[in-house]
Amino acid sequence: MPDNQFEDEKATHQTLHDDDRETPSLADYEQDALEQDSGLAEEEIHSESVESDDDGVHGATHEADANLQDSPADANAPAEANASDLGSLKNWYIIHAYSGFEQKVAESLRTRAQAFGFADRLGQILIPTEEVVELRNGKKVTSKRLLYPGYVLVEMEMDDELWHAVKSTPRVTGFVGGGTKPVPLTADEVNAVLYRQASSAERPRPKMTFDKNETVKIIDGPFTNFSGKVDEVNTERNTLRVMVTIFGRSTPVELDFLQVEKI
């Protein structure tokens, strides 16, 4: 082989050998890519952690959740929810109103509750009444009578704002009990009022009431137009024992409340 050809082949072989040594393999590309991605990821994670306190794993949301669990407001939230589930916080109070305007006061309270936004804190409004019976032209007539004229029972969640709103209602003079914190009725007191109202519907009471030694006139029965003095009052049976003078003698007569009237 000529020397010049041998030198050419040697130069070509050396060039190929150098190319193989300098040309990166696929593994080298992948390794470089991984290193670049890793470096980029580290830069991105580091950048986010500086801006939002994100640790790159749990993130800012995780830390926010941790702060949320330690928040006193959230710690109280379950207690408030449980308290609302225990039932109503409303109590019964007595309002003093102008006599004869009890129904007007009840209507004004309902209207103002809607207008001023305290309807959810205002419960039932009760004007206690009872069924009464009287004798008119020889016939029994039943009607309703106020149990407590000039008073209205209201169920409410009392606070300063509601106290002022109710007290400033037209024809209301204030709460029974006075002050800015009136005393609510007990459960027994409320039940007594409701029971009397319900029982009177089944058995109406006489419209008139009488006292011992009171002078009355008999308006029904065999002793009509006789007058006498009340000797005994039986409120359970609604009867009276009246001492009537008959033939010059004082005689006891048993009469129903409806058979007499006051003089």
Side-chain angles (χ1 to χ4, degrees):
M1 178 180 300
D3 292 339
N4 56 351
Q5 184 176 0
F6 174 78
E7 291 298 333
D8 293 339
E9 289 181 0
K10 182 179 178 180
T12 302
H13 176 75
Q14 183 65 33
T15 301
L16 292 175
H17 177 74
D18 291 340
D19 292 341
D20 291 341
R21 183 182 56 189
E22 295 176 359
T23 303
S25 63
L26 179 60
D28 293 332
Y29 279 117
E30 292 177 349
Q31 182 65 28
D32 290 341
L34 288 174
E35 291 177 356
Q36 291 175 3
D37 291 342
S38 176
L40 179 59
E42 288 177 359
E43 291 177 359
E44 290 176 348
I45 292 172
H46 178 70
S47 175
E48 292 175 357
S49 65
V50 170
E51 295 177 359
S52 63
D53 292 335
D54 189 348
D55 58 4
V57 179
H58 298 96
T61 305
H62 172 76
E63 186 162 345
D65 291 340
N67 294 333
L68 196 62
Q69 293 173 0
D70 295 335
S71 172
D74 284 344
N76 293 333
E80 294 175 358
N82 293 336
S84 64
D85 294 337
L86 293 178
S88 175
L89 300 177
K90 297 181 179 69
N91 290 308
W92 284 95
Y93 297 87
I94 302 178
I95 296 174
H96 189 268
Y98 293 163
S99 183
F101 290 93
E102 297 85 359
Q103 191 61 45
K104 287 288 186 182
V105 167
E107 293 173 359
S108 295
L109 283 174
R110 295 189 183 96
T111 302
R112 288 166 66 86
Q114 295 293 334
F116 293 102
F118 59 85
D120 58 329
R121 289 179 287 161
L122 192 70
Q124 303 178 64
I125 301 176
L126 177 64
I127 303 174
T129 60
E130 63 178 349
E131 299 282 343
V132 294
V133 60
E134 60 181 329
L135 200 65
R136 295 180 187 173
N137 300 323
K139 296 181 179 180
K140 290 184 178 181
V141 179
T142 302
S143 60
K144 285 188 177 183
R145 178 178 65 184
L146 294 178
L147 275 175
Y148 310 106
Y151 295 96
V152 179
L153 273 66
V154 182
E155 188 185 25
M156 66 180 78
E157 292 182 24
M158 179 63 72
D159 57 23
D160 292 342
E161 180 184 1
L162 191 54
W163 173 85
H164 181 75
V166 173
K167 194 174 182 295
S168 60
T169 300
R171 303 182 182 89
V172 171
T173 60
F175 286 87
V176 173
T180 57
K181 293 183 179 180
V183 179
L185 294 174
T186 65
D188 290 340
E189 290 172 332
V190 176
N191 289 335
V193 174
L194 297 177
Y195 174 77
R196 182 173 178 180
Q197 185 170 259
S199 61
S200 70
E202 299 176 358
R203 185 185 176 187
R205 297 172 179 268
K207 187 174 183 178
M208 300 297 294
T209 58
F210 303 92
D211 298 317
K212 188 175 180 178
N213 296 324
E214 191 173 16
T215 301
V216 295
K217 178 183 179 181
I218 301 173
I219 59 174
D220 181 62
F223 299 101
T224 299
N225 295 326
F226 276 74
S227 296
K229 185 175 287 187
V230 177
D231 182 59
E232 184 179 299
V233 180
N234 190 325
T235 54
E236 293 183 359
R237 295 174 55 192
N238 295 328
T239 59
L240 301 170
R241 186 169 67 190
V242 180
M243 302 305 295
V244 180
T245 301
I246 303 175
F247 301 116
R249 295 181 178 181
S250 182
T251 305
V253 178
E254 193 82 8
L255 298 167
D256 190 273
F257 277 17
L258 299 177
Q259 294 180 285
V260 299
E261 67 180 10
K262 296 182 179 183
I263 296 178

